[in-house]
Amino acid sequence: AVDYIIKPHNAQILTKKIEAAIKYGTALKEKKAIERTSNIIISRDSGNTLISFLTDFKKVGFIDDVKRSFSTSFLSLVKNDSIIFDLRGVPDFGDKDIAILLKLTNVFSSNVVYIVAGKHYGKIATAADLENKFQLFISLGDFEIFQSEQE
C-alpha cells in the first residue's frame, strides 16, 4: 500500500488521491450514522421533554423505536415533565397516524402533553375524537410563547 501512494511523485496526483479517500471515508461514515440513527430524538430541559419524530408512524421499525425510546426507566425519569411531541419532521400524516398519536399520548397520561404539529396542524385539529387530550401548536415558537405566558 505504501508503494502505491508514494510512487506517483506528482504532488497534484497524490493530493487528489488523498482527497478522494477522505471523501469516500466521510460518505461511508455518514451512511453508517444514518443507518443506526433512531427516528425519534429526545431532549430534556428544565421540566420539558421534547420528543421529535422524524419518520412516518407507519414506517417499518417505528414501533420498535418507540419501545426502545420509551422504556420504563425513561418514563419514570420524565414523570414530572411536560411532554412536547414535535411532528414537524414527519413527512406524511393521515388518519391512521392520528390513532397512533393518541396511543403515544396515552403512554404519557400522567403528564401534560403538548403537540407541535407544523403542517399537520389541520389534520390533527379536525380529528373528532381528540376531546382535549393535549394542546396543539403550529410551531415551537408558538409553544414557547404559550409557556412563557403560563409562568
Side-chain angles (χ1 to χ4, degrees):
V2 174
D3 288 337
Y4 175 74
I5 293 175
I6 294 177
K7 276 188 180 178
H9 297 288
N10 185 335
Q12 280 184 317
I13 294 172
L14 184 58
T15 302
K16 287 185 187 227
K17 285 183 179 183
I18 292 171
E19 287 173 355
I22 290 172
K23 284 181 184 178
Y24 177 76
T26 303
L28 195 58
K29 269 187 192 175
E30 289 174 355
K31 181 182 177 202
K32 286 181 181 179
I34 288 170
E35 288 173 353
R36 73 172 172 262
T37 300
S38 175
N39 292 307
I40 301 171
I41 298 174
I42 300 171
S43 60
R44 292 186 69 221
D45 182 34
S46 65
N48 291 325
T49 299
L50 177 67
I51 303 171
S52 300
F53 298 97
L54 305 175
T55 189
D56 294 334
F57 289 1
K58 298 174 292 287
K59 182 181 177 189
V60 175
F62 176 76
I63 298 300
D64 292 334
D65 281 347
V66 168
K67 289 177 184 175
R68 189 172 41 255
S69 299
F70 300 166
S71 65
T72 308
S73 60
F74 170 74
L75 294 175
S76 66
L77 184 68
V78 301
K79 68 182 175 187
N80 296 321
D81 288 3
S82 295
I83 305 297
I84 305 134
F85 284 171
D86 183 0
L87 305 179
R88 295 173 300 162
V90 177
D92 190 31
F93 199 85
D95 293 336
K96 291 181 182 177
D97 296 312
I98 289 174
I100 295 170
L101 179 63
L102 287 173
K103 288 178 183 175
L104 290 173
T105 58
N106 288 337
V107 170
F108 299 97
S109 59
S110 64
N111 302 74
V112 178
V113 177
Y114 303 100
I115 296 179
V116 177
K119 64 184 176 183
H120 311 299
Y121 184 91
K123 289 178 186 174
I124 297 170
T126 58
D129 58 342
L130 298 182
E131 300 176 14
N132 298 326
K133 293 186 184 244
F134 45 77
Q135 290 191 292
L136 198 57
F137 300 91
I138 291 178
S139 70
L140 202 52
D142 290 342
F143 169 73
E144 290 171 352
I145 291 169
F146 167 80
Q147 192 174 37
S148 68
E149 290 173 354
Q150 298 299 310
E151 294 175 352

